[in-house]
Amino acid sequence: MSLTVRILIALVLGLGCGIALAEAGGAWEADVVAVAQPIGKAWLGGLQMPLIPLIFALLVTGITQAATTARTNGMAGRAIALFAILLVASATVAALVGPLMLHFWPVPTGAVGALAGSGPIAEVPDVRPSAEWLLGFIPVNPLKSASEGQVVAVVLFALIFGFAVTRIAQERRAMLTDFFQALADALLVLVGWVLWLAPLGVFALALVAGARSGLATAGALLHYIGFIVLICVIVTLLVYPLVMIAGRIAPGRFIRAAIPAQAIAFSTQSSIASLPAMIQACDGPLIVRETTRSIVLPLAISLFRITSPPANLGVALYVAAMNGVVLGPTQLIMGVLVAAIVSLAAVGLPSQITFFTTTGPICLAMGVPVEALPLLLAVETVPDIFRTVGNVTADMATARIVDQTGVPSTH
């Protein structure tokens, strides 16, 4: 039985037990919650423990590999530049559409703050951008920034450090990248140990949530699934006019070319499994040169997940709404930038780990509590289907767009 299935079972059992406790009442309800709550919090603390050093190590290695590839291959450089623009753009879509969706389609009444057991409604103060405000993000002491959970400063330092590594001698660059890769591998083992206990931690957290909010918790989880799926669908649909204009292709041709790979992505939740169908589409209806698709498609599968920034930012927006945290424009801008950058940290990681390494930093950067993330992970299977479909669609679109760069329109 896979870890995802075990987590989902633990979620259902925990919610069921919590709701039963809430309906039955009695003095022993408080006793059970008093035991379950510290267990859930202890597991969550163990999951947060390696988060910042893992993000740093993954970003350094990811940025180093991407920058090195871009410098050694002109077409790869154009592809990576396009990836970066689209990652920021997709996150911006979520920042604009997400709050609007939650305004007209709010979190179910009774679930606000209950899933994470938050206190009264909080407001993250918005700050007007200024020279002093911008200087505050410069990591004067990176170790202090990491210890204080200042994720934006840590991400900025990792970004700059990763590019700096590409400028040193090849032998020393290899030594540094090997070190950070080894550090990331060790931290991933640690995360794997914590995730092995995920069913216990999720059961405890779900029991507490169910006891506090009853059926409203289940309603909030279903609402969350619909919210993230809708964001992924919106971003995927926006790919079509983009490839029509920038890729100079008729909409009907692109739709027909994309359907086989999308069907595989929907059924397998794997971009790699969809690669043969994407190659066939590029060689057929998309009319992408072999030299282009042989470079762009592997790069896209490795580095480019267009639905990752908007969906992960959507998670942070939903958790903020669930906890009554009011976000201002500055927090949304920080969320967009961090979401786009940390998507590089998801390269080659299992979906359970990816969820925390990409959503956790966004929440921390925006001042949003992370206590509800384990419960949302348990129902991530359905949104992950639409994430993968969107990623595969964008991969084929970028192959066509890069191939058409500087090429006269002949078809």
Side-chain angles (χ1 to χ4, degrees):
M1 186 182 296
S2 67
L3 177 61
T4 301
V5 174
R6 288 189 285 121
I7 292 175
L8 183 59
I9 292 174
L11 173 70
V12 173
L13 291 177
L15 285 177
C17 292
I19 292 171
L21 284 173
E23 294 296 327
W28 49 281
E29 174 191 349
D31 296 334
V32 174
V33 171
V35 173
Q37 189 169 20
I39 294 175
K41 286 187 175 181
W43 177 77
L44 182 62
L47 195 59
Q48 292 178 255
M49 178 175 57
L51 190 59
I52 288 182
L54 177 60
I55 285 295
F56 185 86
L58 290 173
L59 280 177
V60 170
T61 54
I63 290 168
T64 302
Q65 293 169 2
T68 302
T69 303
R71 288 172 56 191
T72 56
N73 186 293
M75 184 178 293
R78 292 199 304 273
I80 291 174
L82 178 61
F83 296 163
I85 293 171
L86 293 181
L87 288 174
V88 175
S90 65
T92 303
V93 170
L96 296 174
V97 173
L100 192 63
M101 288 169 55
L102 289 171
H103 176 74
F104 291 102
W105 189 34
V107 179
T109 304
V112 176
L115 274 178
S118 67
I121 291 179
E123 181 172 356
V124 179
D126 190 35
V127 182
R128 183 180 299 275
S130 63
E132 184 178 354
W133 177 80
L134 293 173
L135 289 174
F137 290 109
I138 297 178
V140 179
N141 187 338
L143 293 178
K144 181 180 179 182
S145 298
S147 65
E148 294 178 351
Q150 298 175 7
V151 175
V152 176
V154 173
V155 169
L156 178 61
F157 181 64
L159 184 67
I160 298 172
F161 187 81
F163 282 115
V165 170
T166 66
R167 309 301 297 181
I168 63 179
Q170 183 176 356
E171 297 79 7
R172 295 181 179 180
R173 181 169 69 243
M175 290 175 59
L176 264 180
T177 52
D178 287 345
F179 167 76
F180 281 109
Q181 186 61 59
L183 176 62
D185 290 343
L187 290 170
L188 287 173
V189 171
L190 176 58
V191 172
W193 290 344
V194 178
L195 285 177
W196 187 80
L197 297 172
L200 175 63
V202 169
F203 175 83
L205 291 170
L207 187 148
V208 174
R212 285 178 170 170
S213 59
L215 290 174
T217 303
L221 291 175
L222 291 174
H223 184 272
Y224 161 79
I225 292 173
F227 175 74
I228 300 300
V229 165
L230 190 53
I231 286 180
C232 292
V233 169
I234 291 172
V235 171
T236 303
L237 291 176
L238 289 175
V239 171
Y240 289 87
L242 173 67
V243 72
M244 287 167 51
I245 297 171
R248 291 179 285 186
I249 187 172
R253 178 188 291 181
F254 181 76
I255 291 172
R256 291 193 300 271
I259 286 176
Q262 290 172 333
I264 296 174
F266 189 91
S267 59
T268 64
Q269 296 173 245
S270 171
S271 296
I272 294 178
S274 306
L275 181 58
M278 286 192 281
I279 292 175
Q280 188 175 12
C282 288
D283 292 342
L286 292 183
I287 315 179
V288 175
R289 290 170 295 178
E290 182 180 356
T291 53
T292 303
R293 59 96 165 147
S294 63
I295 292 174
V296 177
L297 286 183
L299 273 177
I301 291 175
S302 301
L303 298 174
F304 180 53
R305 291 171 173 82
I306 195 170
T307 60
S308 182
N312 295 332
L313 181 58
V315 173
L317 294 174
Y318 196 88
V319 174
M322 202 164 54
N323 285 273
V325 177
V326 181
L327 300 172
T330 301
Q331 284 69 42
L332 292 176
I333 293 173
M334 288 297 100
V336 166
L337 296 178
V338 173
I341 295 173
V342 299
S343 65
L344 291 174
V347 176
L349 298 182
S351 58
Q352 297 89 1
I353 297 176
T354 298
F355 186 82
F356 288 103
T357 56
T358 52
T359 58
I362 301 170
C363 291
L364 294 174
M366 297 173 68
V368 176
V370 298
E371 284 78 8
L373 293 184
L375 299 182
L376 302 182
L377 166 65
V379 295
E380 185 61 20
T381 300
V382 175
D384 192 50
I385 293 173
F386 291 88
R387 285 176 182 246
T388 309
V389 171
N391 293 337
V392 167
T393 305
D395 290 348
M396 290 181 286
T398 52
R400 170 73 185 192
I401 293 171
V402 172
D403 189 64
Q404 289 295 302
T405 304
V407 177
S409 180
T410 57
H411 45 260

